[in-house]
Amino acid sequence: MNTQDFIKIEEEYGAHNYHPLDVVIEKAEGVWVHDVEGKKYLDCLSAYSAVNQGHVHPEILKAMLEQAKRVTLTSRAFRNDQLPLLYKELSEMTGYEMSLPMNSGAEAVETAVKLARKWAYVVKGVPRHQAEIIVAGNNFHGRTVTIISFSTEPSYRDDFGPFTPGFVVVDYGDAGALEKAITPNTAAVMLEPIQGEAGVIIPPAGYLKKVAEVCKKNNVLFIADEIQTGLARTGKLFAAHHEDVRADITIVGKALSGGFYPVSAVLADKAILGLFQPGEHGSTFGGNPLAAAVARASLRVIREEKLSERAAELGTYFVEQLSEIPSPHVKEVRGRGLLIAVELDKKARRFCEALKERGILAKETHDNVIRFAPPLVIDKETIDWALPSIREVLNMP
Ligand SMILES: *Cc1c(COP(=O)(O)O)cnc(C)c1O
């Protein structure tokens, strides 16, 4: 079967909730993916930063295969010998006292929302069922009904109400507006330190620090959704670290499994995460031994291959080089680490398709932005290989 055969079957039998580029991938390794025609591409999306460690990383693969032969699922009705070690290693690596494992990113966001509400009632003394969570315009936190209830993107929510109450939206990047929105019932502020899906929107310098101060002053929790920005992508373990901010609750997912398996987690100290009592929250697959073994190996690769440092160094280089490309279409090049956006004055889809023809897979976000976010194991030579093609494409009529 060729590319068109696969696409025809997919369009016929699958729901059309995505608009993928017409490339059918059959294998991958490191920064490269191969399609069913035998053509090779540089992956500049990394599955939205889930494969920071590179595709099919041998160490993570080994951990997964070994664990799959032993035991894959116990449910949390029984204990397993991998989850305790994941807890400990996550704590040592991130500095949070505890964590709670889930599967998808959206589930971890839901968990954080429940946790903040519980904290508001039990610790802060907010009247029951009155808690409010402040979020930012143009946020992306996932696709559940509760999460889309506070999305500002019409296509994410228009046909999917009724919505979950208890959320207040303020402009991203405006700490003053955020402070004004705080009431005695405010449980938490939840933000992406950089808005990935909105088009790699980097807030003004000092914003995260100011938000953290405002939260502290008002006895409000600061929840950082680092599902896309965390685990080395922006050149630090967490993007909030660029402003020396430690959120009260940090949410991770995506690269927590190096792309092998859905693994997410909520991180916080005991005073917060210790509030959950048996029976109050859970997931059949959350914290299973296969997931825990994969996550442990994924974290080890981030540490041992110094992926934060790589992302910082190569990200700076990639942004510099992209900025020097003369092009009639580019409005702005911005990025932190290897989370990079090229904003155009026109729709980006056509440019992404042209990049694909030249062996580079990037995806448009919000119509006129091309995101460049390759696996963090990329090297300078590979960036240099890609630049002439990117230059050519950015100069198309
Ligand atoms: C991808 C993403 C999510 C949702 O994760 P899923 O695994 O797709 O549910 C939430 N927040 C941010 C910032 C993300 O990038």
Side-chain angles (χ1 to χ4, degrees), residues 82-300:
Q82 291 298 310
L83 183 57
L85 303 179
L86 173 62
Y87 283 147
K88 183 157 180 281
E89 288 159 16
L90 257 179
S91 176
E92 285 166 358
M93 192 164 165
T94 65
Y96 288 101
E97 291 170 358
M98 288 184 145
S99 56
L100 192 163
M102 296 295 283
N103 310 285
S104 69
E107 284 176 300
V109 172
E110 290 266 351
T111 303
V113 165
K114 287 172 75 174
L115 181 60
R117 286 177 169 186
K118 171 120 193 162
W119 174 87
Y121 304 135
V122 175
V123 177
K124 184 167 174 172
V126 172
R128 185 170 264 182
H129 300 171
Q130 301 295 306
E132 292 165 3
I133 294 177
I134 300 173
V135 298
N138 297 320
N139 67 69
F140 182 82
H141 297 286
R143 301 293 198 160
T144 66
V145 170
T146 287
I147 294 170
I148 58 129
S149 294
F150 53 87
S151 172
T152 57
E153 172 63 38
S155 70
Y156 294 173
R157 54 177 272 140
D158 275 359
D159 287 329
F160 307 113
F163 300 113
T164 307
F167 298 94
V168 178
V169 183
V170 298
D171 283 348
Y172 188 65
D174 184 346
L178 192 147
E179 184 159 25
K180 280 204 201 83
I182 291 177
T183 74
N185 290 343
T186 304
V189 167
M190 180 163 68
L191 297 173
E192 300 153 85
I194 293 171
Q195 291 187 320
E197 292 319 289
V200 189
I201 307 299
I202 302 170
Y207 173 65
L208 298 174
K209 193 153 200 104
K210 183 83 198 146
V211 171
E213 281 164 19
V214 165
C215 286
K216 202 173 174 81
K217 192 172 91 190
N218 291 280
N219 195 25
V220 163
L221 298 178
F222 184 8
I223 306 174
D225 179 346
E226 296 254 18
I227 292 171
Q228 184 162 157
T229 52
L231 303 179
R233 170 54 56 186
T234 70
K236 301 236 183 220
L237 183 63
F238 294 130
H241 291 174
H242 287 286
E243 295 197 359
D244 293 320
V245 165
R246 181 187 191 263
D248 300 294
I249 300 173
T250 290
I251 311 169
V252 289
K254 296 201 167 115
L256 185 53
S257 70
F260 277 83
Y261 197 87
V263 190
S264 61
V266 173
L267 312 170
D269 286 341
K270 280 192 181 130
I272 299 168
L273 206 35
L275 293 173
F276 276 133
Q277 300 300 314
E280 291 182 348
H281 189 60
S283 158
T284 302
F285 278 83
N288 74 70
L290 186 59
V294 165
R296 292 180 62 208
S298 302
L299 293 173
R300 201 166 58 236

Side-chain angles (χ1 to χ4, degrees), residues 17-21 43-53 55 140 143 156 192 196-200 225-231 233 253-256 258-259 338-339 349 361-366 369 371-376:
N17 58 326
Y18 278 92
H19 182 30
L21 289 176
D43 181 359
C44 278
L45 183 64
S46 308
Y48 302 95
S49 297
V51 282
N52 285 356
Q53 298 89 337
H55 288 276
F140 182 82
R143 301 293 198 160
Y156 294 173
E192 300 153 85
E197 292 319 289
V200 189
D225 179 346
E226 296 254 18
I227 292 171
Q228 184 162 157
T229 52
L231 303 179
R233 170 54 56 186
K254 296 201 167 115
L256 185 53
L338 280 166
L339 185 56
R349 178 81 185 190
L361 294 184
K363 187 74 168 64
E364 79 278 10
T365 166
H366 274 245
V369 174
R371 174 171 27 193
F372 289 100
L376 309 182

